[in-house]
Structure formats: structure tokens, C-alpha cells
Amino acid sequence: MNYSISISLQVWDPHFTGDQLEALFNRASDVKHTVGENIVRGDGKRLPSKYVDSYVCYDIVPLQNFTDLYEPLKEANGVVLNMLKEKKSFFELKKEKGRIVYYCAIYTKEHVAFSIPSEISKELSDLGIDVGIEVFQEYTE
């Protein structure tokens, strides 16, 4: 089967600022918010509610065709290891109630079934990264 897959790295933390989270990496984030700031909609309107966590997001594997989830996750792990200043950073964030997740978007016109090989599961565990998967069926390019 052939899937279109993209992966983003999402990092949340209730204690650090967006700038402090961004400092864990060797590049600017694609999205950044800081705890306590007013939420701003995509159209620029400021809402009365505030962010409860700081957040940074990096698009790390652009949308492309794959035959399974192994290759894009392997690629994502390589990118993240190159971005991190210190591998232990994610574990320190998790101790402080931070969350680190790969957001995997899978687009397909077909039935979806896959497994995550133990090699990749171990790498994810070693990095302290969770995986969230969203499947968009009936996808047309």
C-alpha cells in the first residue's frame, strides 16, 4: 500500500517559555506559544483565554509517499537527534509534566493497517517521544 505521511514534533510544557523550549533545538520552530499569553486565532484575533502550556512545533518529515510507518518514523528520529542539543532534555521536560509527541498524519484512499517495529519503538522510548497518529481516509491529492 502507498500512504502520504507527514510528521511534526510537538513539545508542550507548563513551566518553560516558548523561547526556552525552542532553545533545546538547533533551529527555529514553525509554531511557538508561551504559557500565560492570550490565545490568538489564525486570523489574528486575540481571544480572552490564555495558553496553559508553552508549545513549539517543528515540521520534520514533509508530506510524501511511504509504504509503511517505519521509514518516516526512522527519518523523524534522525532529524530530531540532529536537532537536539542534549538527548536528556526530553526526559527532563517529562519529569516537569512536559509532553513530547510525534504527530503523524496519514492520508490514504485505502484501508489502513500497520505496525511499529520494535527497533523504532525502542528509539522512541530512548528519546522519550510518544506517537500520535491521525488517519485521513478517502484522501485525494
Side-chain angles (χ1 to χ4, degrees), residues 88-99:
K88 65 180 181 175
S89 300
F90 284 171
F91 294 103
E92 291 171 4
L93 282 176
K94 285 188 140 187
K95 280 191 237 176
E96 298 299 321
K97 306 231 188 269
R99 295 179 291 140

Side-chain angles (χ1 to χ4, degrees), residues 10 18 31 58 85 98 103 107 113 118 120 137:
Q10 301 174 319
V31 178
Y58 294 90
K85 289 185 178 173
Y103 169 76
Y107 302 89
S118 58
I120 295 297
Q137 290 186 307

Side-chain angles (χ1 to χ4, degrees), residues 106-112 135-141:
I106 300 175
Y107 302 89
T108 182
K109 297 176 190 174
E110 304 166 356
H111 172 77
V112 176
V135 178
F136 299 89
Q137 290 186 307
E138 304 301 322
Y139 173 70
T140 57
E141 290 185 36

Side-chain angles (χ1 to χ4, degrees), residues 21-38:
L21 289 177
E22 203 173 52
L24 297 172
F25 305 97
N26 292 319
R27 68 179 187 188
S29 61
D30 297 298
V31 178
K32 177 174 61 173
H33 305 294
T34 294
V35 64
E37 290 179 341
N38 281 86

Side-chain angles (χ1 to χ4, degrees), residues 2-138:
N2 209 14
Y3 311 106
S4 295
I5 300 174
S6 67
I7 299 179
S8 298
L9 176 71
Q10 301 174 319
V11 182
W12 292 268
D13 190 88
H15 306 290
F16 295 105
T17 66
D19 289 339
Q20 288 171 321
L21 289 177
E22 203 173 52
L24 297 172
F25 305 97
N26 292 319
R27 68 179 187 188
S29 61
D30 297 298
V31 178
K32 177 174 61 173
H33 305 294
T34 294
V35 64
E37 290 179 341
N38 281 86
I39 296 173
V40 179
R41 294 190 327 197
D43 64 4
K45 181 175 180 178
R46 294 175 64 96
L47 301 177
S49 48
K50 298 185 183 294
Y51 292 107
V52 295
D53 289 314
S54 294
Y55 172 76
V56 294
C57 181
Y58 294 90
D59 296 328
I60 55 175
V61 176
L63 186 64
Q64 55 192 294
N65 291 331
F66 293 98
T67 56
D68 60 33
L69 199 53
Y70 174 84
E71 286 302 321
L73 284 173
K74 183 83 173 157
E75 183 178 329
N77 286 346
V79 170
V80 169
L81 281 171
N82 286 331
M83 289 170 55
L84 275 176
K85 289 185 178 173
E86 293 182 44
K87 191 174 176 182
K88 65 180 181 175
S89 300
F90 284 171
F91 294 103
E92 291 171 4
L93 282 176
K94 285 188 140 187
K95 280 191 237 176
E96 298 299 321
K97 306 231 188 269
R99 295 179 291 140
I100 302 94
V101 177
Y102 282 153
Y103 169 76
C104 301
I106 300 175
Y107 302 89
T108 182
K109 297 176 190 174
E110 304 166 356
H111 172 77
V112 176
F114 54 84
S115 61
I116 299 174
S118 58
E119 171 193 345
I120 295 297
S121 296
K122 181 176 180 348
E123 286 181 10
L124 293 167
S125 179
D126 289 347
L127 287 167
I129 298 174
D130 299 329
V131 177
I133 299 170
E134 185 168 6
V135 178
F136 299 89
Q137 290 186 307
E138 304 301 322

